Amino acid sequence: MPPVVPFVVPILEAVAAHYELPPPLYTCEVDGDGHALAGVEVEVPRDGVVMMAQRRKFWSPACLGSADAYEKAALHAIKFLQGLYGFVVRDYNYECVVVYRNCGNAAFVVAASAVRYAAYLERILACPHS
């Protein structure tokens, strides 16, 4: 099985660094039913000088040997921070695929137009002139 490359956790860490938040904490706990949970904890400042920072935990069910749970918990944390700070995460891989698809569509349109134009010229040249 190929290794899984996490991509959400680094995004969460980049967001925390950008907004000068403490680095996220990654925890693993067992709930009352004996199920393992992967957790991501972020600390966000509160308004005012006297109030302490607020710590928010996001949980996801964990399977043995799976880093997927931390990715899901980190995704919940990112969504929370998006609501708080109003930023947008852009997926450059998706954008590259869209650009590639649009270029392919444009190339097809150009090729089809060239074929139609060539057929049109062929008909004109084949027609006897009076």
Side-chain angles (χ1 to χ4, degrees):
M1 184 156 115
V4 176
V5 179
F7 66 94
V8 177
V9 169
I11 292 172
L12 175 61
E13 291 173 356
V15 167
H18 178 77
Y19 289 102
E20 299 176 353
L21 303 174
L25 298 174
Y26 304 97
T27 60
C28 187
E29 292 186 12
V30 177
D31 67 3
D33 297 331
H35 298 106
L37 298 172
V40 174
E41 186 175 345
V42 292
E43 185 177 319
V44 292
R46 290 195 185 223
D47 293 337
V49 178
V50 179
M51 299 185 81
M52 297 287 291
Q54 175 186 9
R55 298 194 72 78
R56 295 290 306 255
K57 290 184 180 183
F58 303 91
W59 299 100
S60 178
C63 298
L64 286 175
S66 173
D68 236 10
Y70 288 105
E71 292 286 303
K72 290 177 185 174
L75 187 59
H76 292 301
I78 289 172
K79 288 180 182 179
F80 167 74
L81 292 173
Q82 280 179 318
L84 194 64
Y85 292 110
F87 63 89
V88 175
V89 176
R90 296 180 66 183
D91 184 351
Y92 292 102
N93 291 329
Y94 175 75
E95 289 177 8
C96 288
V97 169
V98 169
V99 167
Y100 181 75
R101 183 193 66 196
N102 291 344
C103 287
N105 288 344
F108 178 76
V109 168
V110 168
S113 297
V115 167
R116 275 197 309 261
Y117 187 67
Y120 173 73
L121 286 177
E122 189 176 302
R123 280 194 307 269
I124 288 178
L125 294 174
C127 219
H129 295 295
S130 330

